[in-house]
Amino acid sequence: MLRATLKSLLGRKLRLVLSGLAVVLGVMFVAGAFVVTDTLGRSFDRVFAAAYATTDVGVTAKPKIAVSEMEGEQVETPLKASAVDQVKTVEGVKSATGMVSADGARVIGSDGKVINSYGPPRLGNNWLGEDDQVTLREGRGPTKDDEIAVNAAVAKAGNLKVGDQVGVLTLEPKKTFTLVGVWGYPGNKDSIGGAQEVAFTTPVAQKLMLGETGVYSMINVRTADGSTDEQVRDRIAAKLGGDYVVKTGDQLAADSSADLKEALAFFNKILLGFAGVALFVGVFLILNTFSIIVAQRTRELAMMRALGASRRQVIGSVLLEAVVIGLIAAALGLAAGIGVGAGLGYLFSTMADGLELAPVGVPLAAVLSSLIVGVVVTVVAAVLPAMRASRIPPVAAMQDVATPDRPLTKVSVTGAVVGAAGATMLGIGLYGTSSLWLILGGVLVTFVGVALLTPLISKPVVALLGRLFSWSVPGRLGRLNSGRNPRRTAITAAALMVGIALVTGVTVVMNSAKTSLAAQVEDTVKAEIVIGADQNGPRPPTFDDAVLTKAREVEGVRAVAGLWQDQAQVDGKLDYVSATDDLAKLTDAYGSAPLATLKDDQLVVSTQKADERGWKAGSVLTVQLARGDPHKYTVVATYDEMALPATYLLPASATKDFGIPSPMFGFVRLTDGTTVAQVLPQMKALVADSPEVSATDRTTFVQEQLSTFDTVITMVQVLLALAILIAVLGVVNTLALSVLERTRELGLLRAVGLSRAQTMRMVTVEAVVISVFGALLGVVVGSGLGAAVVRALNDDGIDQIVLPWDRMGVYLVLAALVGVLAAVLPSIKAARLNVLTAIAHD
């Protein structure tokens, strides 16, 4: 039986290739996810090892608020200069140097624009001279308060040269410096990990990057001979006490790398999620392939039963084929995944200029997951066809190999039950527990239910779609072929349905959210002009609060309010807080119920947050901001969170302890009769020295803020393209195997006068009908699931269901094109059949 199975495999190489392609592509995504995260993880290890190469022990102050990489930007607590003197007295300390190094120094290039960063920090440092890591390439280090030096990455990105007047944005508004030096790193590197660095004199660095002079962000300790780094670390920790964090250079490098690996782990989960979708679609392809193969081998399998093979042996024969195909596909998928992982790593390193990519590695997780996923998915998909093969009676060996399609009663009932279960899970997840896993499980089960119900609806729908092509004999034949086997048509179409349904569903949710929020902002925000910008780096852009004062003096301006934002611990829980310089003016700008200007010890909170935390007017909250000591605020009022742009609003006095003590937004309300065109040019002039920030009319600002939704839709479409590609392979697979199955029939059609061109058109019509049916099913199911999610989000302000009619139309047109492309090879094969040989085919 084993020899017969292997011989059958080798005798049908085409089905081996077609069956394995889906697994190859799915496994490729799985392996690629592990390879790229492993490669980037080791790259970050090398980056931070280099960054702390001259640090034996590092001393920092314990942060006021601990923030992970996924939660936002960590604001370090400055160290007093006296701590440096204390560390110097510790036994085993060779030297202790106060260092300033903080993210947020944005250099303005020669084109007048801020040099963007797509991930790596933009560090402002104090110049400490050359060492083993820093070597001047041009000029010298800064010695005066109006001088700076930059690393070569900044100089190249901004097209800057020594002697230029360079603007720099920090915690303070734009200041202009003379560029006196450019430095690089060992190995002729322009940066460490793509970081942009600018160096000031120590007092200037302290003031601009830490907010005050006489403080440092870290103490860099070199260990004397005769003491280990660990010994010195422990001695310093004992000397300074619990308000400080003391670590060796190796620990600092490992911890910094671990923070970025946390973000990588999230990226890895996204890739694995899309790999799961691709493999889920692949199950349909494999299931269909093995079903067709079993139908084609009816006489062969029946002969085996007649010669004494048991049902178990027949099942084992089919499953052995699946294991072989799975192993080969997994190996190919792993190889392809290594290539994809290397490509993604290279792409990431080019985006983060200066990140030196570690050699591509293949972690054990990539190998094991590829093999397990490849084999398990293939075997699971082959179980039902194997069971069906085992039920073939020996008498079938004496009958025609054609197998009539079985009744759809059982599969339809099963589909109805599974679909109802999926709908129930979705309902509970969306309207009851709000459990993400329950919602995702409901979506998956619903997809399976719809897929099981697809054969029931395929016959009438396919017949209806086929009438569009029934104006010719090939068209009528193609329509009849696509509807002759509802199960096969349904499984092929279901693969395409899954990908398009997911894209459509996400598009419905994103478009609905975008439209709902835009309408909400238009109704809520009465300010005709907004000052602000999109975030183009790790830290959000800000502007000088003096802009707000000058804006109030412009003729035709009725109210101006600034908005600051930061993270804080509010009664022990991490949350986002905001502050405004004039709450009364902010409520005017937002057209909400007026609230009195806050005193220094007062705040207002949204009604929703107050209900969640059990607060009311008069409650006293303890707020720990990024800087300073904890402060107690009394809740003086609550408001609907949709009425104002914040959950908490603190007084302007609190902003001195914000991580970024400058406003991020300004809202300008005009007097009656004043037009935007009259005031906007003056507002633009006020922010001319803040190249990251612009003044725009309300509608433009809203569209800019909501453009993220379009980005998400595009990303989902790109990532789900793999699932749709697998679905296309499914159509090709079905047609190719169907042509083999109908060899004799095609020969007879050719014998009675069907030309080659007509044969190709017949196969193409069949492919187009199946593809359009799958796409139509996908847009219907996707729209329904998307609408259900939007309905569940009504309480969060997403109350408008927007169906992407234009995109859905594009999907249907593309599906027709997919059908045409998928039919190319099978139709050519069908047209080239030798008529006499085909008629004699058994």
Side-chain angles (χ1 to χ4, degrees):
M1 196 67 184
L2 176 62
R3 288 195 298 270
T5 301
L6 295 177
K7 187 176 181 180
S8 174
L9 266 173
L10 294 175
R12 294 177 172 86
K13 299 182 182 65
L14 177 62
R15 76 164 184 246
L16 180 69
V17 173
L18 293 175
S19 302
L21 276 176
V23 182
V24 169
L25 292 173
V27 169
M28 178 183 72
F29 230 143
V30 174
F34 284 108
V35 169
V36 70
T37 50
D38 175 76
T39 302
L40 291 178
R42 288 183 292 105
S43 300
F44 291 140
D45 287 340
R46 294 169 60 169
V47 166
F48 289 108
Y52 290 104
T54 58
T55 301
D56 294 331
V57 178
V59 182
T60 58
K62 189 172 290 185
K64 300 290 184 180
I65 303 173
V67 179
S68 71
E69 186 71 25
M70 293 299 295
E71 292 173 326
E73 194 78 10
Q74 178 70 66
V75 177
E76 303 293 345
T77 301
L79 290 153
K80 296 294 184 183
S82 57
V84 180
D85 297 329
Q86 286 182 281
V87 171
K88 287 179 179 178
T89 65
V90 174
E91 180 186 353
V93 172
K94 179 180 179 180
S95 65
T97 307
M99 298 180 64
V100 177
S101 183
D103 196 359
R106 291 96 70 202
V107 177
I108 300 172
S110 60
D111 59 358
K113 298 179 180 179
V114 171
I115 302 173
N116 286 339
S117 172
Y118 300 99
R122 294 179 283 192
L123 301 173
N125 308 327
N126 60 329
W127 177 255
L128 296 173
E130 296 181 272
D131 56 28
D132 293 342
Q133 288 292 305
V134 175
T135 304
L136 282 167
R137 293 183 182 175
E138 297 179 55
R140 57 177 176 83
T143 57
K144 299 179 182 178
D145 288 351
D146 62 349
E147 294 177 342
I148 59 169
V150 299
N151 67 3
V154 173
K156 290 181 179 179
N159 192 26
L160 304 174
K161 58 184 183 297
V162 171
D164 286 351
Q165 295 297 300
V166 180
V168 183
L169 305 172
T170 57
L171 292 179
E172 298 189 6
K174 173 186 171 184
K175 295 188 179 297
T176 303
F177 300 86
T178 301
L179 180 62
V180 297
V182 176
W183 79 84
Y185 305 88
N188 202 34
K189 297 176 187 174
D190 294 337
S191 72
I192 295 179
Q196 300 176 16
E197 296 185 69
V198 54
F200 310 89
T201 60
T202 295
V204 173
Q206 290 170 331
K207 187 171 186 298
L208 296 184
M209 302 310 303
L210 301 179
E212 56 181 315
T213 57
V215 295
Y216 299 97
S217 54
M218 188 180 87
I219 302 173
N220 185 46
V221 178
R222 299 308 300 264
T223 301
D225 295 338
S227 295
T228 66
D229 296 345
E230 290 74 16
Q231 289 173 332
V232 173
R233 175 199 63 194
D234 295 341
R235 292 168 188 162
I236 294 173
K239 176 84 171 181
L240 296 179
D243 291 336
Y244 296 85
V245 178
V246 187
K247 297 180 179 179
T248 65
D250 291 341
Q251 286 179 308
L252 289 169
D255 290 350
S256 298
S257 182
D259 288 340
L260 282 176
K261 287 178 181 178
E262 182 183 353
L264 275 181
F266 179 74
F267 175 65
N268 188 47
K269 289 176 183 177
I270 292 176
L271 289 180
L272 289 176
F274 283 100
V277 173
L279 289 167
F280 180 63
V281 173
V283 167
F284 290 100
L285 192 158
I286 300 165
L287 175 63
N288 210 22
T289 301
F290 274 92
S291 296
I292 296 172
I293 289 170
V294 168
Q296 290 175 345
R297 295 176 59 198
T298 297
R299 178 173 289 181
E300 175 188 330
L301 294 170
M303 185 67 72
M304 289 182 180
R305 291 295 312 280
L307 293 174
S310 66
R311 291 183 62 182
R312 180 178 296 179
Q313 285 178 309
V314 172
I315 292 174
S317 172
V318 177
L319 293 183
L320 178 60
E321 286 193 32
V323 170
V324 172
I325 291 172
L327 284 172
I328 295 173
L332 294 175
L334 175 61
I338 294 171
V340 168
L344 288 174
Y346 175 76
L347 181 64
F348 189 94
S349 67
T350 55
M351 291 177 62
D353 292 334
L355 177 62
E356 185 179 356
L357 205 61
V360 176
V362 184
L364 182 61
V367 178
L368 293 178
S369 61
S370 297
L371 292 175
I372 293 171
V373 167
V375 173
V376 169
V377 167
T378 311
V379 170
V380 167
V383 166
L384 288 178
M387 297 294 291
R388 194 175 306 139
S390 71
R391 297 191 185 103
I392 295 174
V395 72
M398 296 178 289
Q399 298 175 345
D400 188 12
V401 295
T403 304
D405 202 28
R406 291 171 291 122
L408 301 175
T409 306
K410 288 184 179 180
V411 71
S412 299
V413 171
T414 304
V417 172
V418 173
T424 302
M425 291 173 66
L426 271 175
I428 296 173
L430 292 171
Y431 301 99
T433 63
S434 299
S435 168
L436 176 61
W437 290 109
L438 194 59
I439 293 172
L440 293 177
V443 170
L444 179 61
V445 174
T446 301
F447 274 138
V448 174
V450 172
L452 290 172
L453 287 171
T454 305
L456 184 65
I457 62 175
S458 67
K459 206 159 191 175
V461 176
V462 165
L464 182 63
L465 291 173
R467 292 190 180 280
L468 298 174
F469 306 95
S470 295
W471 45 270
S472 65
V473 171
R476 287 195 294 275
L477 290 173
R479 175 176 67 85
L480 293 172
N481 286 335
S482 59
R484 65 159 54 173
N485 193 323
R487 291 175 186 271
R488 183 180 303 174
T489 298
I491 293 173
T492 306
L496 189 59
M497 177 268 289
V498 172
I500 291 181
L502 287 173
V503 173
T504 303
V506 170
T507 305
V508 169
V509 174
M510 291 293 108
N511 281 350
S512 299
K514 181 179 177 181
T515 302
S516 299
L517 293 177
Q520 195 175 93
V521 174
E522 287 286 352
D523 291 340
T524 304
V525 181
K526 302 304 178 185
E528 292 86 353
I529 297 174
V530 181
I531 300 171
D534 289 331
Q535 191 166 333
N536 60 11
R539 300 177 74 85
T542 58
F543 56 93
D544 188 354
D545 55 5
V547 170
L548 301 173
T549 303
K550 295 176 182 177
R552 294 186 180 101
E553 299 170 358
V554 174
E555 185 178 354
V557 171
R558 166 178 156 181
V560 175
L563 192 70
W564 288 250
Q565 294 179 335
D566 202 5
Q567 286 183 299
Q569 291 276 358
V570 182
D571 270 5
K573 288 190 176 182
L574 186 66
D575 214 331
Y576 285 92
V577 298
S578 300
T580 181
D581 55 346
D582 195 327
L583 182 57
K585 294 293 191 336
L586 184 66
T587 55
D588 186 15
Y590 261 75
S592 63
L595 294 171
T597 298
L598 296 169
K599 296 179 181 179
D600 289 348
D601 60 350
Q602 295 178 335
L603 63 75
V604 291
V605 62
S606 73
T607 304
Q608 290 83 347
K609 179 62 72 172
D611 291 342
E612 176 189 326
R613 302 287 299 271
W615 299 326
K616 59 180 184 297
S619 296
V620 178
L621 313 183
T622 301
V623 179
Q624 173 63 65
L625 295 165
R627 307 178 194 276
D629 297 322
H631 194 90
K632 292 189 180 298
Y633 293 94
T634 301
V635 177
V636 294
T638 61
Y639 56 88
D640 187 282
E641 65 181 14
M642 308 308 296
L644 289 173
T647 303
Y648 303 88
L649 278 166
L650 304 176
S653 59
T655 61
K656 69 181 187 302
D657 289 334
F658 274 35
I660 303 176
S662 298
M664 297 177 187
F665 298 103
F667 300 94
V668 181
R669 184 86 185 267
L670 305 181
T671 58
D672 294 338
T674 303
T675 64
V676 171
Q678 291 175 296
V679 178
L680 188 56
Q682 298 175 71
M683 294 298 166
K684 289 180 179 291
L686 291 178
V687 295
D689 281 341
S690 300
E692 291 180 302
V693 178
S694 61
T696 62
D697 62 86
R698 178 179 59 213
T699 301
T700 302
F701 174 77
V702 170
Q703 294 304 317
E704 289 175 351
Q705 296 299 305
L706 296 179
S707 61
T708 304
F709 291 102
D710 295 325
T711 303
V712 171
I713 292 172
T714 302
M715 289 176 60
V716 170
Q717 288 176 325
V718 170
L719 289 171
L720 284 176
L722 177 62
I724 296 174
L725 174 60
I726 293 175
V728 173
L729 290 175
V731 179
V732 176
N733 195 10
T734 298
L735 291 176
L737 293 174
S738 184
V739 166
L740 290 175
E741 186 182 53
R742 302 203 309 260
T743 299
R744 189 174 186 180
E745 175 188 320
L746 290 169
L748 290 171
L749 288 172
R750 291 291 313 283
V752 298
L754 196 69
S755 68
R756 286 188 173 185
Q758 288 176 317
T759 302
M760 293 178 68
R761 287 205 301 273
M762 177 186 69
V763 176
T764 301
V765 167
E766 182 178 354
V768 170
V769 170
I770 293 174
S771 297
V772 173
F773 171 57
L776 184 62
L777 198 61
V779 296
V780 171
V781 172
S783 298
L785 291 174
V789 173
V790 172
R791 175 66 183 82
L793 296 173
N794 276 0
D795 292 340
D796 295 319
I798 302 176
D799 54 6
Q800 296 188 37
I801 298 177
V802 180
L803 298 179
W805 296 107
D806 54 341
R807 290 179 186 267
M808 290 192 290
V810 169
Y811 297 153
L812 293 175
V813 172
L814 288 177
L817 180 60
V818 161
V820 173
L821 295 176
V824 171
L825 293 179
S827 63
I828 291 175
K829 184 175 181 62
R832 287 180 177 176
L833 285 174
N834 183 285
V835 177
L836 295 177
T837 303
I839 292 173
H841 181 77
D842 190 0

